[in-house]
Amino acid sequence: MTSTEISTGSDFARLSHRISAAGLMVRRPGYYTARISVVGGLFAAGWVAFAFLGNSWWQLAIAAFQAVMFGQIALLSHDLAHKQVFRRRRPTETAGLIAGNLGVGMSYGWWMDKHTRHHANPNHEELDPDVDPDILVWSKDQARASRGVPRFIGRYQAFLFFPLLTLEGLNLHWSGIRAVRKPGLRRRGTEAALLAVHYALYFSALITVLSPGMALLFFAVHQGLWGVYMGSIFAPNHKGMPTLTGRPELDFLRKQVLTSRNVRGGLVTDVALGGLNYQIEHHLFPSMPSPHLRRAQPIVQAYCAELGIPYRQTSLVESYRQALTHLHEAGAPLRNRS
């Protein structure tokens, strides 16, 4: 990029030049090799411990541990979908199918399509599937137009949000099953086969090692905590931030920054949230390797300050408070009707 192009380009183009000059778009094969090895090793070790423990109450600890591992594998699948790991499509898809479909029983193709649409129009009430009012309502307009389940739940959705997340793991499984039952999904047969293998291995392990009652309890704890973990990773990013409708007159930079929120924290937060605590940087540069997001953050924040663009960053607890407050306010029209 020449100096003339930099001076006459868009606001995002100038930011992109700074990010590229800092070397933050370069892939990190060593990092991802280590991360995949650690997560894969811990995941396998958890199932080995499961087999050795037998029908024991300690299996509930394994269920909680594997809920975290499912979340970490899903985060790896997320990075793969954004082409942060490999440049070429074939290894990206292969690894994504292994991690998503075989590893955690979630359709990689379905999720990638959904997440791509979210990135294109974050928090847009008509275009972002993550703010579709299928269960919850995300604005007062959605509340007024709601029917059925969203109308019933929306009144007190802020109080029901975390309890409902215990069902999110099952929702991810069911969404994958629905996706492979319909035409149009890329590699539909492969996805269906890998999902079938995942469920066969998972339920065979539970039935073989545990008594029926303990198997049901393990399933409930494992899937429930996985759902809470997944929801807790993604809830701080956009919930409670401005929602868009129609054709907003925002350029790419402002559309991504104004609808996203960062979460402050150190190494533990980075690992637990898979780098998605740097949501603004991730939305601006989806293919940036997650370990570079921390280094990109001060560059993006300083650039937004230069342009006078609000840059929202809070603690993890405060992000949940803002999200729940927003949900409560969005459901106000439903409470006022009762």
Side-chain angles (χ1 to χ4, degrees), residues 61-137:
I62 300 298
F65 175 78
Q66 290 294 53
V68 175
M69 289 299 99
F70 265 46
Q72 287 294 313
I73 291 173
L75 286 169
L76 278 171
S77 183
H78 169 270
D79 287 10
L80 285 161
H82 282 297
K83 298 184 179 178
Q84 296 177 19
V85 184
F86 303 109
R87 292 183 184 275
R88 297 171 56 195
R89 171 182 284 183
R90 179 61 63 84
T92 294
E93 285 188 348
T94 300
L97 289 169
I98 292 172
N101 293 59
L102 184 60
V104 298
M106 180 178 71
S107 169
Y108 173 77
W110 163 81
W111 183 86
M112 187 170 65
D113 173 72
K114 174 177 178 288
H115 196 62
T116 299
R117 287 185 284 127
H118 158 70
H119 266 263
N121 293 282
N123 265 22
H124 193 291
E125 292 184 26
E126 290 97 43
L127 301 175
D128 182 357
D130 286 357
V131 291
D132 184 31
D134 53 349
I135 298 294
L136 305 176
V137 294

Side-chain angles (χ1 to χ4, degrees), residues 113-327:
D113 173 72
K114 174 177 178 288
H115 196 62
T116 299
R117 287 185 284 127
H118 158 70
H119 266 263
N121 293 282
N123 265 22
H124 193 291
E125 292 184 26
E126 290 97 43
L127 301 175
D128 182 357
D130 286 357
V131 291
D132 184 31
D134 53 349
I135 298 294
L136 305 176
V137 294
W138 305 100
S139 70
K140 291 181 179 179
D141 287 341
Q142 286 186 347
R144 295 185 186 99
S146 65
R147 297 290 184 272
V149 174
R151 182 183 178 88
F152 176 75
I153 291 179
R155 299 177 183 181
Y156 305 106
Q157 59 185 9
F159 302 99
L160 297 172
F161 180 71
F162 280 104
L164 285 172
L165 286 183
T166 60
L167 302 176
E168 178 60 18
L170 298 180
N171 177 54
L172 292 172
H173 291 311
W174 178 240
S175 295
I177 293 171
R178 285 191 302 176
V180 300
R181 291 173 62 188
K182 298 177 181 178
L185 182 68
R186 180 180 171 82
R187 299 187 183 278
R188 180 184 174 199
T190 301
E191 291 224 20
L194 289 173
L195 286 176
V197 171
H198 169 85
Y199 296 134
L201 292 174
Y202 181 81
F203 289 113
S204 294
L206 266 59
I207 294 171
T208 301
V209 175
L210 305 177
S211 65
M214 184 61 72
L216 286 173
L217 192 56
F218 182 98
F219 177 82
V221 171
H222 179 215
Q223 298 296 328
L225 290 182
W226 179 45
V228 171
Y229 183 32
M230 291 295 289
S232 298
I233 290 172
F234 289 94
N237 303 334
H238 303 281
K239 307 313 182 220
M241 297 302 290
T243 57
L244 308 175
T245 57
R247 298 181 63 182
E249 297 298 322
L250 293 174
D251 63 1
F252 177 79
L253 175 67
R254 287 163 180 80
K255 180 170 64 173
Q256 301 298 339
V257 173
L258 295 177
T259 59
S260 303
R261 176 199 295 112
N262 275 16
V263 174
R264 290 191 296 268
L267 180 60
V268 173
T269 303
D270 289 1
V271 172
L273 302 187
L276 296 183
N277 42 315
Y278 304 104
Q279 187 68 191
I280 294 173
E281 290 71 31
H282 170 61
H283 260 256
L284 289 171
F285 303 99
S287 62
M288 178 184 291
S290 58
H292 287 171
L293 293 169
R294 171 183 282 272
R295 293 170 54 195
Q297 190 271 331
I299 299 174
V300 174
Q301 186 175 25
Y303 187 70
C304 287
E306 289 178 23
L307 299 181
I309 301 174
Y311 181 101
R312 184 69 63 86
Q313 185 172 219
T314 69
S315 68
L316 184 60
V317 173
E318 175 62 16
S319 73
Y320 292 137
R321 188 197 69 79
Q322 291 180 11
L324 294 176
T325 298
H326 173 79
L327 284 172

Side-chain angles (χ1 to χ4, degrees), residues 6-30:
I6 295 169
S7 62
T8 60
S10 67
D11 289 337
F12 176 72
R14 289 189 285 272
L15 173 61
S16 183
H17 175 74
R18 296 187 188 185
I19 293 295
S20 296
L24 299 181
M25 298 305 297
V26 177
R27 282 174 171 77
R28 294 283 302 275

